[in-house]
Amino acid sequence: MGKVGNLTNYHSHSLYCDGRAGMEDFVRFALSEGFTSYGFSSHAPLPFSTAWTMEWDRMDDYLSEFRRLKAQYAGSIELYLGLEIDYLNEESNPSVRRFKELPLDYRIGSVHLLYNDRGEVVDVDVPADAFRKVVDGHFGGDLERVVRLYYKRLMRMLELGGFDIVGHADKMHYNACCYRPGLLDEPWYDELVHAYFSEIARRGYQVEINTKSYHELGTFYPNERYFSLLHDWGIRVQVNSDSHYPERINNGRPEALRALKRAGYETVMELYGGKWKEMPILF
Ligand SMILES: [Zn+2]
Ligand SMILES: [Zn+2]
């Protein structure tokens, strides 16, 4: 099926994690915006509690609430269930059996956390001013080390697998550039990012164009400067808003689709009938 407009989103949060509304509010808003295919991707449980991840004891609820909505809205919109799973360490990442056994339609793999030298978990998916404090307070102001640690973990996540879509591929770039303007043009950084995308291409993962911060910060994740590289390397992409609020599910989508077209993309990936399909960009 698939109607005009590329009205889809597969990265969204709800009250099961740090989203600000129930799943059904997102569905209603998606319907009112004319979306044809929509997916949920709560932050998967970690081995410890956080303010932003789901707990394991909520998982059955998550699955059954989704099944209820899927049945209720069948015929009006295609609904899909996923998770955004962190690569934390070798025991907790998208490739572990506990996640693989879940009856999900797709999985997003992301890195939000690093370890400092004392073995403590440090959140680097934070606003730029907090990121600066993390680099200075936990890593002695060594930005290059933090960036290399981040990509090392992302690379390990690619190796281990267990997911379909790379979440906000180079999200740290915004904070790192606030810390050190011009970073994206530094050869070592460019090399690191190229090696990463080349590995993504080799292993056939999809990359999302994450529009969450586009209106606020003026960048997609990954940064638009890599779109034509992704295209040349045959990487399939999808546009996701990573929305935590129903009214933001459509944010930045037309802008991302236009940017993809400028980079040579003619299609984006969308889920119909339970399968990823390459759909023409209709912008
Ligand atoms: Zn994320
Ligand atoms: Zn997310």
Side-chain angles (χ1 to χ4, degrees):
M1 46 190 286
K3 298 171 197 150
V4 291
N6 313 108
L7 285 152
T8 65
N9 175 40
Y10 304 103
H11 191 155
S12 78
H13 299 279
S14 69
L15 293 174
Y16 284 97
C17 51
D18 59 346
R20 302 309 167 97
M23 273 182 172
E24 188 156 14
D25 292 329
F26 285 88
V27 175
R28 287 219 191 92
F29 204 85
L31 275 171
S32 75
E33 293 276 299
F35 277 50
T36 49
S37 174
Y38 194 90
F40 295 98
S41 59
S42 273
H43 287 291
L46 284 165
F48 42 82
S49 286
T50 74
W52 51 279
T53 47
M54 187 163 75
E55 299 287 335
W56 274 110
D57 62 12
R58 298 278 282 148
M59 190 60 79
D60 285 344
D61 257 19
Y62 182 61
L63 299 172
S64 61
E65 170 67 352
F66 171 74
R67 276 187 219 112
R68 184 184 76 78
L69 292 172
K70 186 176 168 166
Q72 186 177 330
Y73 290 94
S76 342
I77 186 169
E78 293 198 25
L79 295 178
Y80 294 98
L81 192 64
L83 277 178
E84 180 180 13
I85 310 174
D86 264 75
Y87 172 84
L88 173 70
N89 55 36
E90 295 297 296
E91 286 73 46
S92 184
N93 63 67
S95 78
V96 304
R97 190 192 294 173
R98 204 165 180 196
F99 290 126
K100 280 187 158 173
E101 284 174 352
L102 293 170
L104 303 172
D105 296 305
Y106 64 90
R107 291 153 176 85
I108 299 172
S110 297
V111 168
H112 304 96
L113 305 169
L114 302 182
Y115 284 101
N116 67 14
D117 286 336
R118 291 187 296 278
E120 297 158 342
V121 172
V122 179
D123 192 346
V124 285
D125 197 63
V126 292
D129 51 340
F131 179 80
R132 175 172 289 279
K133 289 193 187 109
V134 165
V135 175
D136 293 342
H138 291 272
F139 299 95
D142 191 345
L143 178 72
E144 179 168 340
R145 196 168 141 236
V146 174
V147 169
R148 285 190 185 279
L149 267 176
Y150 179 66
Y151 281 96
K152 193 175 168 200
R153 295 165 68 70
L154 284 166
M155 288 294 245
R156 183 60 182 152
M157 183 179 83
L158 299 180
E159 269 171 39
L160 290 170
F163 63 98
D164 312 281
I165 305 147
V166 181
H168 41 68
D170 67 345
K171 192 166 182 190
M172 186 182 278
H173 89 268
Y174 181 83
N175 281 344
C177 283
C178 290
Y179 194 99
R180 194 155 99 203
L183 175 78
L184 269 52
D185 296 317
E186 293 182 27
W188 70 271
Y189 182 84
D190 204 48
E191 229 168 80
L192 206 58
V193 176
H194 275 67
Y196 171 55
F197 284 127
S198 141
E199 193 62 13
I200 287 173
R202 199 173 73 77
R203 293 181 182 270
Y205 292 110
Q206 291 186 49
V207 165
E208 70 165 358
I209 306 304
N210 186 302
T211 65
K212 184 185 180 195
S213 305
Y214 184 71
H215 288 310
E216 195 190 340
L217 306 178
T219 186
F220 304 113
Y221 311 119
N223 189 285
E224 187 178 343
R225 66 161 61 198
Y226 308 112
F227 286 10
S228 54
L229 179 81
L230 301 187
H231 174 258
D232 293 348
W233 286 355
I235 295 173
R236 298 163 301 156
V237 294
Q238 57 181 266
V239 175
N240 288 332
S241 57
D242 195 356
S243 50
H244 290 62
Y245 300 81
E247 63 274 21
R248 295 187 191 170
I249 61 172
N250 209 1
N251 274 16
R253 194 182 54 86
E255 291 90 340
L257 289 164
R258 278 194 288 270
L260 285 170
K261 276 219 122 173
R262 284 197 294 276
Y265 274 98
E266 300 286 345
T267 61
V268 285
M269 302 306 287
E270 303 180 6
L271 259 175
Y272 293 106
K275 296 214 159 54
W276 289 108
K277 304 231 159 88
E278 254 186 76
M279 302 299 288
I281 298 176
L282 299 165
F283 267 77

